[in-house]
Amino acid sequence: MAKHEEVKNGVIFPVGEKNEAFAKYFVGQSYLQTLVADPSVPVGVGNVTFEPGCRNNWHIHRDGYQILLVTGGEGWYQEEGKAAQFLRAGDVVVTHDGVKHWHGAAKDSWFEHIAITAGKPEWLEPVTDEHYDKL
């Protein structure tokens, strides 16, 4: 049994549907509940839930940024060239324009965050099992 099983039902917001639209940019299963998708608002806001071991590919936000508000479980965030940061509920991460990074669940825990995103993501290579397993 994985840690933080309660996260799979949503902590604050609903867990959403399987994240099929972005599945090719993830290793493992994620879920997405869009919270703000208003064309007159220049940011998107979504509740992203990761099954244990799930993580997104390395990526860069162009002409924008991303703010992650961790709401449940345990996970990781890493910027290229820096050590990975262990994340828990209540942590906040700000990723600035042009910074290559990834984020996702710990191997043995569900993980959930609110993602506030401006700009366009440039999706890159997956985080390899070899890299992830060293965390």
Side-chain angles (χ1 to χ4, degrees), residues 58-59 66 76-85 93-96 99-103 131:
W58 288 97
H59 58 287
Q66 187 170 59
W76 294 100
Y77 170 85
Q78 185 174 24
E79 293 181 0
E80 184 177 45
K82 295 183 179 180
Q85 299 173 41
V93 175
V94 177
T95 305
H96 295 277
V99 174
K100 184 177 178 181
H101 67 288
W102 69 273
H103 34 104
H131 179 86

PDB file of all heavy atoms in Angstrom, residues 58-59 66 76-85 93-96 99-103 131:
ATOM      1  N   TRP A  58      11.163  16.381 -18.214  1.00  0.00           N
ATOM      2  CA  TRP A  58      11.833  17.667 -18.112  1.00  0.00           C
ATOM      3  C   TRP A  58      11.085  18.626 -19.025  1.00  0.00           C
ATOM      4  O   TRP A  58      10.614  18.237 -20.107  1.00  0.00           O
ATOM      5  CB  TRP A  58      13.284  17.546 -18.594  1.00  0.00           C
ATOM      6  CG  TRP A  58      14.182  16.792 -17.659  1.00  0.00           C
ATOM      7  CD1 TRP A  58      14.524  15.473 -17.736  1.00  0.00           C
ATOM      8  CD2 TRP A  58      14.868  17.326 -16.527  1.00  0.00           C
ATOM      9  NE1 TRP A  58      15.373  15.151 -16.716  1.00  0.00           N
ATOM     10  CE2 TRP A  58      15.613  16.272 -15.954  1.00  0.00           C
ATOM     11  CE3 TRP A  58      14.933  18.588 -15.933  1.00  0.00           C
ATOM     12  CZ2 TRP A  58      16.410  16.438 -14.824  1.00  0.00           C
ATOM     13  CZ3 TRP A  58      15.720  18.759 -14.811  1.00  0.00           C
ATOM     14  CH2 TRP A  58      16.449  17.692 -14.263  1.00  0.00           C
ATOM     15  N   HIS A  59      10.946  19.874 -18.612  1.00  0.00           N
ATOM     16  CA  HIS A  59      10.264  20.856 -19.445  1.00  0.00           C
ATOM     17  C   HIS A  59      10.676  22.262 -19.043  1.00  0.00           C
ATOM     18  O   HIS A  59      11.272  22.475 -17.986  1.00  0.00           O
ATOM     19  CB  HIS A  59       8.743  20.691 -19.401  1.00  0.00           C
ATOM     20  CG  HIS A  59       8.120  20.793 -18.044  1.00  0.00           C
ATOM     21  ND1 HIS A  59       8.233  19.812 -17.086  1.00  0.00           N
ATOM     22  CD2 HIS A  59       7.352  21.769 -17.488  1.00  0.00           C
ATOM     23  CE1 HIS A  59       7.565  20.170 -16.000  1.00  0.00           C
ATOM     24  NE2 HIS A  59       7.027  21.363 -16.216  1.00  0.00           N
ATOM     25  N   GLN A  66       5.766  28.973 -13.675  1.00  0.00           N
ATOM     26  CA  GLN A  66       4.851  28.029 -13.053  1.00  0.00           C
ATOM     27  C   GLN A  66       5.022  28.104 -11.544  1.00  0.00           C
ATOM     28  O   GLN A  66       6.144  28.158 -11.042  1.00  0.00           O
ATOM     29  CB  GLN A  66       5.101  26.597 -13.527  1.00  0.00           C
ATOM     30  CG  GLN A  66       4.055  25.612 -13.014  1.00  0.00           C
ATOM     31  CD  GLN A  66       4.167  24.275 -13.682  1.00  0.00           C
ATOM     32  OE1 GLN A  66       5.199  23.621 -13.611  1.00  0.00           O
ATOM     33  NE2 GLN A  66       3.107  23.864 -14.351  1.00  0.00           N
ATOM     34  N   TRP A  76       8.680  15.206  -5.616  1.00  0.00           N
ATOM     35  CA  TRP A  76       9.979  15.785  -5.942  1.00  0.00           C
ATOM     36  C   TRP A  76       9.830  16.921  -6.943  1.00  0.00           C
ATOM     37  O   TRP A  76       8.943  16.895  -7.788  1.00  0.00           O
ATOM     38  CB  TRP A  76      10.896  14.731  -6.560  1.00  0.00           C
ATOM     39  CG  TRP A  76      11.273  13.636  -5.625  1.00  0.00           C
ATOM     40  CD1 TRP A  76      10.716  12.393  -5.570  1.00  0.00           C
ATOM     41  CD2 TRP A  76      12.286  13.674  -4.631  1.00  0.00           C
ATOM     42  NE1 TRP A  76      11.327  11.657  -4.585  1.00  0.00           N
ATOM     43  CE2 TRP A  76      12.301  12.425  -3.992  1.00  0.00           C
ATOM     44  CE3 TRP A  76      13.195  14.652  -4.206  1.00  0.00           C
ATOM     45  CZ2 TRP A  76      13.175  12.120  -2.962  1.00  0.00           C
ATOM     46  CZ3 TRP A  76      14.064  14.354  -3.177  1.00  0.00           C
ATOM     47  CH2 TRP A  76      14.057  13.095  -2.565  1.00  0.00           C
ATOM     48  N   TYR A  77      10.759  17.868  -6.852  1.00  0.00           N
ATOM     49  CA  TYR A  77      10.908  18.943  -7.832  1.00  0.00           C
ATOM     50  C   TYR A  77      12.401  19.100  -8.057  1.00  0.00           C
ATOM     51  O   TYR A  77      13.183  19.109  -7.100  1.00  0.00           O
ATOM     52  CB  TYR A  77      10.334  20.264  -7.304  1.00  0.00           C
ATOM     53  CG  TYR A  77      10.675  21.457  -8.179  1.00  0.00           C
ATOM     54  CD1 TYR A  77       9.896  21.764  -9.285  1.00  0.00           C
ATOM     55  CD2 TYR A  77      11.794  22.252  -7.920  1.00  0.00           C
ATOM     56  CE1 TYR A  77      10.214  22.840 -10.104  1.00  0.00           C
ATOM     57  CE2 TYR A  77      12.111  23.327  -8.730  1.00  0.00           C
ATOM     58  CZ  TYR A  77      11.322  23.618  -9.815  1.00  0.00           C
ATOM     59  OH  TYR A  77      11.640  24.676 -10.628  1.00  0.00           O
ATOM     60  N   GLN A  78      12.802  19.236  -9.316  1.00  0.00           N
ATOM     61  CA  GLN A  78      14.222  19.418  -9.603  1.00  0.00           C
ATOM     62  C   GLN A  78      14.419  20.339 -10.792  1.00  0.00           C
ATOM     63  O   GLN A  78      13.756  20.194 -11.818  1.00  0.00           O
ATOM     64  CB  GLN A  78      14.893  18.076  -9.885  1.00  0.00           C
ATOM     65  CG  GLN A  78      16.395  18.201 -10.067  1.00  0.00           C
ATOM     66  CD  GLN A  78      17.077  16.858 -10.213  1.00  0.00           C
ATOM     67  OE1 GLN A  78      16.473  15.872 -10.600  1.00  0.00           O
ATOM     68  NE2 GLN A  78      18.364  16.836  -9.896  1.00  0.00           N
ATOM     69  N   GLU A  79      15.338  21.276 -10.624  1.00  0.00           N
ATOM     70  CA  GLU A  79      15.798  22.117 -11.722  1.00  0.00           C
ATOM     71  C   GLU A  79      17.108  21.541 -12.225  1.00  0.00           C
ATOM     72  O   GLU A  79      17.911  21.017 -11.442  1.00  0.00           O
ATOM     73  CB  GLU A  79      16.005  23.554 -11.246  1.00  0.00           C
ATOM     74  CG  GLU A  79      14.716  24.226 -10.853  1.00  0.00           C
ATOM     75  CD  GLU A  79      14.893  25.670 -10.395  1.00  0.00           C
ATOM     76  OE1 GLU A  79      16.030  26.184 -10.376  1.00  0.00           O
ATOM     77  OE2 GLU A  79      13.862  26.286 -10.055  1.00  0.00           O
ATOM     78  N   GLU A  80      17.333  21.666 -13.515  1.00  0.00           N
ATOM     79  CA  GLU A  80      18.560  21.147 -14.118  1.00  0.00           C
ATOM     80  C   GLU A  80      19.784  21.739 -13.423  1.00  0.00           C
ATOM     81  O   GLU A  80      19.858  22.945 -13.172  1.00  0.00           O
ATOM     82  CB  GLU A  80      18.599  21.486 -15.605  1.00  0.00           C
ATOM     83  CG  GLU A  80      19.796  20.891 -16.326  1.00  0.00           C
ATOM     84  CD  GLU A  80      19.769  21.180 -17.806  1.00  0.00           C
ATOM     85  OE1 GLU A  80      19.500  22.337 -18.184  1.00  0.00           O
ATOM     86  OE2 GLU A  80      20.017  20.244 -18.582  1.00  0.00           O
ATOM     87  N   GLY A  81      20.735  20.860 -13.079  1.00  0.00           N
ATOM     88  CA  GLY A  81      21.977  21.288 -12.447  1.00  0.00           C
ATOM     89  C   GLY A  81      21.888  21.490 -10.948  1.00  0.00           C
ATOM     90  O   GLY A  81      22.868  21.857 -10.312  1.00  0.00           O
ATOM     91  N   LYS A  82      20.703  21.250 -10.359  1.00  0.00           N
ATOM     92  CA  LYS A  82      20.514  21.418  -8.919  1.00  0.00           C
ATOM     93  C   LYS A  82      20.025  20.108  -8.304  1.00  0.00           C
ATOM     94  O   LYS A  82      19.473  19.254  -8.993  1.00  0.00           O
ATOM     95  CB  LYS A  82      19.499  22.522  -8.624  1.00  0.00           C
ATOM     96  CG  LYS A  82      19.951  23.899  -9.066  1.00  0.00           C
ATOM     97  CD  LYS A  82      18.925  24.938  -8.670  1.00  0.00           C
ATOM     98  CE  LYS A  82      19.368  26.336  -9.081  1.00  0.00           C
ATOM     99  NZ  LYS A  82      18.370  27.350  -8.695  1.00  0.00           N
ATOM    100  N   ALA A  83      20.190  19.995  -6.998  1.00  0.00           N
ATOM    101  CA  ALA A  83      19.684  18.822  -6.287  1.00  0.00           C
ATOM    102  C   ALA A  83      18.160  18.833  -6.282  1.00  0.00           C
ATOM    103  O   ALA A  83      17.535  19.899  -6.243  1.00  0.00           O
ATOM    104  CB  ALA A  83      20.216  18.820  -4.855  1.00  0.00           C
ATOM    105  N   ALA A  84      17.569  17.654  -6.287  1.00  0.00           N
ATOM    106  CA  ALA A  84      16.117  17.526  -6.211  1.00  0.00           C
ATOM    107  C   ALA A  84      15.639  17.966  -4.826  1.00  0.00           C
ATOM    108  O   ALA A  84      16.325  17.752  -3.827  1.00  0.00           O
ATOM    109  CB  ALA A  84      15.690  16.090  -6.481  1.00  0.00           C
ATOM    110  N   GLN A  85      14.457  18.582  -4.788  1.00  0.00           N
ATOM    111  CA  GLN A  85      13.830  19.016  -3.532  1.00  0.00           C
ATOM    112  C   GLN A  85      12.677  18.076  -3.200  1.00  0.00           C
ATOM    113  O   GLN A  85      11.807  17.845  -4.041  1.00  0.00           O
ATOM    114  CB  GLN A  85      13.248  20.417  -3.677  1.00  0.00           C
ATOM    115  CG  GLN A  85      14.225  21.497  -4.007  1.00  0.00           C
ATOM    116  CD  GLN A  85      13.488  22.817  -4.291  1.00  0.00           C
ATOM    117  OE1 GLN A  85      12.531  23.159  -3.608  1.00  0.00           O
ATOM    118  NE2 GLN A  85      13.932  23.520  -5.313  1.00  0.00           N
ATOM    119  N   VAL A  93       6.557  26.045  -4.793  1.00  0.00           N
ATOM    120  CA  VAL A  93       7.693  26.097  -5.713  1.00  0.00           C
ATOM    121  C   VAL A  93       7.377  27.123  -6.795  1.00  0.00           C
ATOM    122  O   VAL A  93       6.278  27.108  -7.358  1.00  0.00           O
ATOM    123  CB  VAL A  93       7.952  24.724  -6.369  1.00  0.00           C
ATOM    124  CG1 VAL A  93       9.051  24.823  -7.414  1.00  0.00           C
ATOM    125  CG2 VAL A  93       8.279  23.671  -5.330  1.00  0.00           C
ATOM    126  N   VAL A  94       8.344  27.991  -7.094  1.00  0.00           N
ATOM    127  CA  VAL A  94       8.214  28.947  -8.191  1.00  0.00           C
ATOM    128  C   VAL A  94       9.268  28.597  -9.230  1.00  0.00           C
ATOM    129  O   VAL A  94      10.462  28.551  -8.920  1.00  0.00           O
ATOM    130  CB  VAL A  94       8.401  30.401  -7.705  1.00  0.00           C
ATOM    131  CG1 VAL A  94       8.325  31.366  -8.885  1.00  0.00           C
ATOM    132  CG2 VAL A  94       7.366  30.752  -6.646  1.00  0.00           C
ATOM    133  N   THR A  95       8.826  28.338 -10.444  1.00  0.00           N
ATOM    134  CA  THR A  95       9.732  28.063 -11.554  1.00  0.00           C
ATOM    135  C   THR A  95       9.672  29.262 -12.494  1.00  0.00           C
ATOM    136  O   THR A  95       8.617  29.593 -13.020  1.00  0.00           O
ATOM    137  CB  THR A  95       9.314  26.796 -12.315  1.00  0.00           C
ATOM    138  OG1 THR A  95       9.219  25.713 -11.406  1.00  0.00           O
ATOM    139  CG2 THR A  95      10.324  26.469 -13.398  1.00  0.00           C
ATOM    140  N   HIS A  96      10.817  29.879 -12.707  1.00  0.00           N
ATOM    141  CA  HIS A  96      10.887  31.073 -13.544  1.00  0.00           C
ATOM    142  C   HIS A  96      10.988  30.720 -15.021  1.00  0.00           C
ATOM    143  O   HIS A  96      11.327  29.589 -15.396  1.00  0.00           O
ATOM    144  CB  HIS A  96      12.065  31.939 -13.106  1.00  0.00           C
ATOM    145  CG  HIS A  96      11.891  32.478 -11.719  1.00  0.00           C
ATOM    146  ND1 HIS A  96      11.157  33.602 -11.446  1.00  0.00           N
ATOM    147  CD2 HIS A  96      12.318  32.015 -10.521  1.00  0.00           C
ATOM    148  CE1 HIS A  96      11.162  33.831 -10.148  1.00  0.00           C
ATOM    149  NE2 HIS A  96      11.856  32.868  -9.557  1.00  0.00           N
ATOM    150  N   VAL A  99      13.534  28.002 -17.173  1.00  0.00           N
ATOM    151  CA  VAL A  99      14.248  27.073 -16.296  1.00  0.00           C
ATOM    152  C   VAL A  99      13.793  25.638 -16.589  1.00  0.00           C
ATOM    153  O   VAL A  99      12.611  25.308 -16.471  1.00  0.00           O
ATOM    154  CB  VAL A  99      14.009  27.414 -14.807  1.00  0.00           C
ATOM    155  CG1 VAL A  99      14.640  26.364 -13.903  1.00  0.00           C
ATOM    156  CG2 VAL A  99      14.549  28.803 -14.498  1.00  0.00           C
ATOM    157  N   LYS A 100      14.741  24.784 -16.938  1.00  0.00           N
ATOM    158  CA  LYS A 100      14.448  23.379 -17.210  1.00  0.00           C
ATOM    159  C   LYS A 100      14.249  22.661 -15.872  1.00  0.00           C
ATOM    160  O   LYS A 100      15.080  22.769 -14.971  1.00  0.00           O
ATOM    161  CB  LYS A 100      15.607  22.754 -17.998  1.00  0.00           C
ATOM    162  CG  LYS A 100      15.371  21.316 -18.415  1.00  0.00           C
ATOM    163  CD  LYS A 100      16.533  20.805 -19.262  1.00  0.00           C
ATOM    164  CE  LYS A 100      16.346  19.364 -19.638  1.00  0.00           C
ATOM    165  NZ  LYS A 100      17.489  18.861 -20.443  1.00  0.00           N
ATOM    166  N   HIS A 101      13.133  21.908 -15.763  1.00  0.00           N
ATOM    167  CA  HIS A 101      12.795  21.265 -14.504  1.00  0.00           C
ATOM    168  C   HIS A 101      11.833  20.101 -14.729  1.00  0.00           C
ATOM    169  O   HIS A 101      11.322  19.912 -15.830  1.00  0.00           O
ATOM    170  CB  HIS A 101      12.158  22.279 -13.551  1.00  0.00           C
ATOM    171  CG  HIS A 101      10.813  22.752 -14.013  1.00  0.00           C
ATOM    172  ND1 HIS A 101      10.652  23.607 -15.084  1.00  0.00           N
ATOM    173  CD2 HIS A 101       9.561  22.459 -13.579  1.00  0.00           C
ATOM    174  CE1 HIS A 101       9.362  23.825 -15.284  1.00  0.00           C
ATOM    175  NE2 HIS A 101       8.678  23.136 -14.379  1.00  0.00           N
ATOM    176  N   TRP A 102      11.561  19.359 -13.661  1.00  0.00           N
ATOM    177  CA  TRP A 102      10.534  18.323 -13.650  1.00  0.00           C
ATOM    178  C   TRP A 102       9.963  18.234 -12.233  1.00  0.00           C
ATOM    179  O   TRP A 102      10.566  18.717 -11.280  1.00  0.00           O
ATOM    180  CB  TRP A 102      11.067  16.960 -14.102  1.00  0.00           C
ATOM    181  CG  TRP A 102      12.034  16.322 -13.150  1.00  0.00           C
ATOM    182  CD1 TRP A 102      13.390  16.507 -13.113  1.00  0.00           C
ATOM    183  CD2 TRP A 102      11.722  15.423 -12.076  1.00  0.00           C
ATOM    184  NE1 TRP A 102      13.940  15.778 -12.092  1.00  0.00           N
ATOM    185  CE2 TRP A 102      12.940  15.098 -11.441  1.00  0.00           C
ATOM    186  CE3 TRP A 102      10.545  14.862 -11.590  1.00  0.00           C
ATOM    187  CZ2 TRP A 102      13.009  14.236 -10.348  1.00  0.00           C
ATOM    188  CZ3 TRP A 102      10.606  14.001 -10.501  1.00  0.00           C
ATOM    189  CH2 TRP A 102      11.829  13.688  -9.902  1.00  0.00           C
ATOM    190  N   HIS A 103       8.791  17.585 -12.102  1.00  0.00           N
ATOM    191  CA  HIS A 103       8.198  17.347 -10.798  1.00  0.00           C
ATOM    192  C   HIS A 103       7.316  16.112 -10.856  1.00  0.00           C
ATOM    193  O   HIS A 103       6.837  15.735 -11.924  1.00  0.00           O
ATOM    194  CB  HIS A 103       7.411  18.554 -10.270  1.00  0.00           C
ATOM    195  CG  HIS A 103       6.710  19.367 -11.299  1.00  0.00           C
ATOM    196  ND1 HIS A 103       5.352  19.304 -11.511  1.00  0.00           N
ATOM    197  CD2 HIS A 103       7.180  20.278 -12.186  1.00  0.00           C
ATOM    198  CE1 HIS A 103       5.015  20.144 -12.480  1.00  0.00           C
ATOM    199  NE2 HIS A 103       6.110  20.742 -12.914  1.00  0.00           N
ATOM    200  N   HIS A 131      17.903   8.001 -13.210  1.00  0.00           N
ATOM    201  CA  HIS A 131      17.981   9.290 -12.517  1.00  0.00           C
ATOM    202  C   HIS A 131      17.008   9.318 -11.330  1.00  0.00           C
ATOM    203  O   HIS A 131      17.381   9.640 -10.203  1.00  0.00           O
ATOM    204  CB  HIS A 131      17.669  10.431 -13.486  1.00  0.00           C
ATOM    205  CG  HIS A 131      17.697  11.794 -12.884  1.00  0.00           C
ATOM    206  ND1 HIS A 131      18.844  12.528 -12.768  1.00  0.00           N
ATOM    207  CD2 HIS A 131      16.711  12.540 -12.299  1.00  0.00           C
ATOM    208  CE1 HIS A 131      18.576  13.690 -12.172  1.00  0.00           C
ATOM    209  NE2 HIS A 131      17.282  13.705 -11.877  1.00  0.00           N
TER     210      HIS A 131
END
